[in-house]
Amino acid sequence: MAALWAAPGNPGIAEHAECVALDAKDHAAVAEFCRAHTIDLVVIGPEAPLVDGLADSLRAAGIAVFGPSAAAARLEGSKGFTKDLCARAGIPTAGYVRASSREEARAALERFQAPFVLKADGLAAGKGVVIAETLAEAEGALAEMFGGQFGTAGSGVVIEEFMAGEEASFFALTDGETIVPLGSAQDHKRVGEGDTGPNTGGMGAYSPAPVLTPELEARVLREIVAPTVRALADAGTPYSGVLYAGLMLTAEGPKLIEYNARFGDPECQVLTMRFEGDLAGLLLACAEGGLADAPAPRFALATALTVVLAARGYPGAPKAGGEIDLGAAEAEGAKVFHAGTRRDGDALVASGGRVLNVTALGPSVTEAQAAAYRAVDAIDFPDGFCRRDIGQKEIAREAARERE
């Protein structure tokens, strides 16, 4: 009989798994738990344990792991590392300069034109990117980054040229040799409607992303993903896991914005809602180097759309402890994924910035969005908020096609 454990888990996954209190930084304790419970596969979800080398420690203990080594996870752990790899491998991306001090970064600004794209080099929970409209804004952002706003993530900064276009995300599985396309999504990073306000870890997404056509997906695989996998293999640090390419669809073609070394949130929700088949079996095949012999992933033709309910104050200082009543949300045909929730006695309360992902399927983005917002409106969360325009660009395109 199959069993599932989640560490640390939350009240949502507790309906499907046994939640255990494990510190992902204590590699020995995690490995011992896996040995004691005869764990066949560990799926490492967040980026921090990957960058910290948890996958390496578990593999050294003889445990199958879905997720890259620390050396390969630098694709997400250091934006500068990825930009340098792109430069060496000829992968299309924005021009850039790396800076390790505020003075060096301020001098580098002279090479660029507004708007200025500034990125904290390390992990910053999706919030370490600033698009400054003026030189004064850019200098202020640099002062905050080097002043510790993002902790050690801001000890180095990448300054990039601004790329115009529409963003999309492409996902692929790889065991270091075989690459299997996994689909597309479109995320909404800004906290405010109309793509305004500061960047977040994501306020909603939908999958597939029609703007990423089959022809463009083939280019992304050929020009961006495959050269990345080859470069890491050639360096002796093969990548195993899911490779999430954040893309800008420019007039010159798709260009890489950045990589994530894991499924991502909220993209994971919309991908898994559409997935049909044995996901655990596919991830195990990837972990064991058998991706070439695994059945091809299958996805429903429907669109999945997710809306993030966040706590007031996010992405700054979110309000914790607000009570949540899910009501009849899932009766509306949606699935409510928990992110920042916990139990306080019998009450469900917020414990993080992004609290819930309300996800629904539909034959189009328009219908999936309507279903997702019906479920959102069935939830009572006075301290929460959401964007009301997730998927709106594609809905406008759908409406235009209807009129043709």
Side-chain angles (χ1 to χ4, degrees):
M1 181 178 177
L4 179 65
W5 287 269
N10 60 41
I13 202 170
E15 298 177 10
H16 311 280
E18 181 179 342
C19 296
V20 293
L22 282 175
D23 181 359
K25 295 180 181 178
D26 189 342
H27 296 189
V30 176
E32 178 55 35
F33 179 89
C34 293
R35 281 192 291 262
H37 293 81
T38 321
I39 301 294
D40 295 309
L41 174 67
V42 175
V43 178
I44 302 177
E47 63 274 30
L50 290 169
V51 172
D52 188 44
L54 179 58
D56 303 84
S57 297
L58 294 178
R59 288 191 181 105
I63 299 161
V65 182
F66 180 82
S69 66
R74 285 182 296 171
L75 281 180
E76 181 168 4
S78 169
K79 294 178 177 64
F81 170 83
T82 299
K83 299 297 286 191
D84 290 347
L85 182 147
C86 289
R88 291 194 304 272
I91 295 169
T93 188
Y96 73 103
V97 171
R98 299 180 69 174
S100 56
S101 70
R102 182 180 174 187
E103 293 71 24
E104 185 182 2
R106 288 179 65 184
L109 286 175
E110 297 179 4
R111 308 186 202 178
F112 297 87
Q113 294 180 334
F116 303 92
V117 181
L118 314 172
K119 297 181 177 181
D121 181 70
L123 298 178
K127 304 170 192 173
V129 178
V130 174
I131 299 176
E133 297 295 335
T134 67
L135 183 60
E137 286 181 15
E139 290 178 342
L142 289 175
E144 291 180 343
M145 287 182 177
F146 286 108
Q149 181 182 13
F150 302 112
T152 57
S155 59
V157 168
V158 175
I159 303 172
E160 295 184 1
E161 66 174 338
F162 178 81
M163 293 190 292
E166 191 163 349
E167 291 189 37
S169 303
F170 179 77
F171 300 81
L173 295 180
T174 180
D175 55 14
E177 294 184 3
T178 301
I179 303 172
V180 176
L182 202 60
S184 64
Q186 197 157 40
D187 187 14
H188 299 64
K189 285 290 187 189
R190 298 294 189 99
V191 71
E193 293 179 19
D195 294 324
T196 57
N199 275 317
T200 72
M203 294 299 293
Y206 62 90
S207 174
V211 69
L212 198 57
T213 64
E215 294 76 18
L216 286 176
E217 285 194 5
R219 284 191 64 180
V220 170
L221 192 61
R222 181 176 67 251
E223 299 174 10
I224 297 176
V225 174
T228 301
V229 173
R230 283 197 303 270
L232 289 172
D234 290 346
T237 56
Y239 190 101
S240 176
V242 62
L243 198 53
Y244 163 176
L247 307 166
M248 184 67 75
L249 306 182
T250 74
E252 295 81 32
K255 295 185 179 183
L256 181 70
I257 300 173
E258 62 185 16
Y259 275 123
N260 285 348
R262 29 85 202 194
F263 276 106
D265 173 14
E267 294 85 358
C268 185
Q269 286 86 342
V270 290
L271 284 171
T272 53
M273 281 287 282
R274 296 179 52 238
F275 185 83
E276 297 177 336
D278 181 2
L279 181 59
L282 183 62
L283 302 188
L284 181 61
C286 185
E288 294 181 336
L291 202 52
D293 299 320
R298 303 193 317 274
F299 289 87
L301 295 177
T303 291
L305 184 142
T306 189
V307 178
V308 171
L309 273 172
R312 299 282 177 193
Y314 180 77
K319 182 177 181 181
E323 288 199 20
I324 306 161
D325 182 354
L326 298 181
E330 294 198 340
E332 294 290 340
K335 172 66 179 175
V336 180
F337 293 93
H338 293 233
T341 66
R342 63 177 177 84
R343 288 287 178 189
D344 184 3
D346 292 332
L348 180 68
V349 301
S351 64
R354 291 181 297 164
V355 179
L356 302 170
N357 288 69
V358 185
T359 314
L361 290 168
S364 66
V365 178
T366 302
E367 290 166 280
Q369 187 207 57
Y373 281 117
R374 283 196 300 271
V376 167
D377 292 338
I379 296 172
D380 183 16
F381 179 26
D383 290 337
F385 74 98
C386 68
R387 282 182 57 166
R388 305 294 304 194
D389 63 345
I390 303 302
Q392 206 60 44
K393 286 182 181 178
E394 190 58 39
I395 288 171
R397 287 191 281 259
E398 288 180 348
R401 288 193 290 270
E402 285 288 323
R403 292 193 296 267
E404 291 177 354

